[in-house]
Amino acid sequence: MNTEIPSLHQAYTGTFKIGAAVSTRTLRREGSFIAKHYNSLTAENQMKFEEIHPDLDRYDFAAADEIVDFAMQHGMALRGHTLVWHNQTPNWVFEKEDGTPASREQVLERLRSHAQTVMGRYIGKIQAWDVVNEAIEDKSEEYLRETKWLSTVGEDYLEQAFRIAHEVDPSAQLFYNDYNETNPVKRDKIYRLVRSLLDVGTPIHGIGMQGHWNLYGPSIDEIREAIELYASLGLRLHITELDISSFDFEDRRSDLKAPTDEMAQRLTHRYDEIFKLLTEYRSEIDSVTFWGAADNGTWLDGFPVRGRLNWPLPFDRELQPKPSFWKILEHGQR
Ligand code: GLA
């Protein structure tokens, strides 16, 4: 590793934490690179319900423990991801033994014991939890996403989840996390949802803006408006899953083996304007996490177009800094 390259997170000391989504695989492969540039970790998958609690009576903590231990050894923060989500959650959570839907009380009891066991294990180590992930429906006319949480527990499932999480770890910062969070229609629904939670005294402390953006959008104005609206609730903001896809969502090309010059230039420009904006809101934003540590470990390879490569992060596949890295660094040092 080139030791002359400055540390990304050190450039942001006193501004906000700089995090990465990791797995035991990436930590084993490139742990020293990750520890040099990032001071916050999120398990990309290994704390999700189906991985950590696959069966009613079985938890599997091996991977999560390894990630938590790594963070502790390196003095890093941790974000817990995630307790209540419609994806990557086993069906048994919502079912009786005969396969019919479980009762509201049963599902809440399972959530409580899951939170006690998982959150409880990492009290004092995980400072922030994504308690509920992606509860808002993308279709404009609809409000809450239809999920098994909603159909079994009812509309107050978010409130209940936050109350349970707060009971288990009163010191943890509790987040609502979502994507397309800058889209004005969805943004207003997220605002309405969090407002309604606050109105009934729900213990919620922050909004996670996932930040799965691309080279063409959202605009800086849209990001700014979302930040201002969410911050007006008096909550803390985390950017939780930042990556800048090389492709517009509609773009289904899959033949490129490397980014074009135009893509590379746009990426530099995007990261420049995005970090200029984020540092402007440093008094609201506590943490900015990239969804992956470098381009060799991005979920966008293959999503949403199978077999397609993507180059969304400030470090390339050889873990070398791209021009975007240097732009991001400059904003931290200001
Ligand atoms: C969502 C989830 C993440 C992850 C990404 C894709 O944003 O919150 O946990 O699954 O999708 O990697």
Side-chain angles (χ1 to χ4, degrees):
M1 191 164 54
N2 185 343
T3 47
E4 283 160 37
I5 295 167
S7 151
L8 189 55
H9 81 75
Q10 275 173 16
Y12 277 79
T13 306
T15 304
F16 37 67
K17 292 206 162 56
I18 298 286
V22 298
S23 62
T24 47
R25 179 150 171 257
T26 59
L27 288 180
R28 289 177 202 167
R29 187 172 69 193
E30 58 219 26
S32 61
F33 160 78
I34 291 170
K36 171 171 173 171
H37 290 292
Y38 301 102
N39 60 353
S40 177
L41 298 182
T42 305
E44 182 169 5
N45 287 300
Q46 289 165 315
M47 290 186 193
K48 289 177 180 169
F49 211 126
E50 70 176 10
E51 302 239 358
I52 208 162
H53 191 178
D55 301 306
L56 178 60
D57 302 322
R58 188 164 67 88
Y59 286 87
D60 183 352
F61 287 114
D65 282 356
E66 189 175 326
I67 293 171
V68 172
D69 289 346
F70 184 95
M72 293 302 103
Q73 276 158 26
H74 294 88
M76 304 163 111
L78 281 159
R79 302 193 77 265
H81 179 79
T82 174
L83 296 175
V84 170
W85 191 27
H86 61 282
N87 261 331
Q88 292 177 267
T89 304
N91 283 333
W92 65 257
V93 175
F94 312 103
E95 289 172 0
K96 296 202 174 95
E97 256 170 47
D98 64 4
T100 59
S103 69
R104 165 185 167 91
E105 285 319 316
Q106 225 167 2
V107 175
L108 285 176
E109 202 36 56
R110 285 170 183 170
L111 176 60
R112 180 169 293 109
S113 101
H114 176 82
Q116 281 165 348
T117 312
V118 177
M119 285 185 90
R121 187 177 182 92
Y122 302 120
I123 289 179
K125 296 179 175 169
I126 297 186
Q127 298 80 15
W129 271 95
D130 292 329
V131 175
V132 181
N133 198 29
E134 304 179 349
I136 290 292
E137 173 54 50
D138 285 294
K139 294 189 213 84
S140 353
E141 329 72 60
E142 288 161 39
Y143 180 45
L144 289 181
R145 184 193 293 272
E146 285 201 26
T147 68
K148 291 187 180 164
W149 293 106
L150 178 63
S151 63
T152 55
V153 177
E155 284 216 359
D156 67 338
Y157 81 90
L158 291 103
E159 180 193 345
Q160 299 304 330
F162 279 95
R163 292 198 187 282
I164 288 170
H166 186 63
E167 252 165 54
V168 174
D169 183 358
S171 66
Q173 276 194 301
L174 306 180
F175 279 74
Y176 175 73
N177 192 48
D178 214 330
Y179 67 93
N180 285 347
E181 71 292 330
T182 60
N183 169 290
V185 176
K186 189 158 173 191
R187 176 199 71 199
D188 289 353
K189 288 192 280 188
I190 294 172
Y191 175 86
R192 169 180 157 200
L193 172 69
V194 176
R195 175 81 270 161
S196 71
L197 289 170
L198 288 167
D199 285 346
V200 293
T202 310
I204 173 171
H205 311 110
I207 296 183
M209 301 174 60
Q210 289 190 1
H212 291 297
W213 299 332
N214 65 50
L215 292 181
Y216 310 93
S219 72
I220 292 301
D221 282 347
E222 281 172 329
I223 302 173
R224 179 190 298 282
E225 281 156 24
I227 290 175
E228 295 208 345
L229 186 68
Y230 298 145
S232 75
L233 291 162
L235 299 180
R236 308 306 304 161
L237 303 183
H238 286 186
I239 310 297
T240 53
E241 306 186 14
L242 180 60
D243 49 20
I244 307 294
S245 173
S246 308
F247 305 92
D248 190 89
F249 201 76
E250 311 303 322
D251 185 344
R252 291 297 195 253
R253 262 179 308 167
S254 64
D255 51 331
L256 290 177
K257 295 287 167 271
T260 64
D261 289 348
E262 198 218 329
M263 284 172 168
Q265 280 163 21
R266 274 186 189 264
L267 187 73
T268 309
H269 176 67
R270 282 294 267 166
Y271 272 119
D272 185 19
E273 57 178 14
I274 287 169
F275 274 80
K276 179 166 184 277
L277 178 76
L278 298 180
T279 51
E280 210 184 296
Y281 289 93
R282 65 178 70 194
S283 52
E284 276 80 30
I285 299 173
D286 298 320
S287 169
V288 176
T289 294
F290 292 90
W291 207 241
D295 283 349
N296 63 342
T298 171
W299 72 297
L300 292 173
D301 274 354
F303 181 87
V305 177
R306 197 175 299 171
R308 182 173 75 182
L309 298 177
N310 210 319
W311 305 274
L313 296 164
F315 294 95
D316 68 19
R317 280 166 204 272
E318 278 71 52
L319 313 181
Q320 294 305 307
K322 302 182 192 176
S324 338
F325 164 86
W326 298 101
K327 287 291 178 198
I328 297 171
L329 200 76
E330 279 174 30
H331 292 293
Q333 288 160 338
R334 291 227 162 96

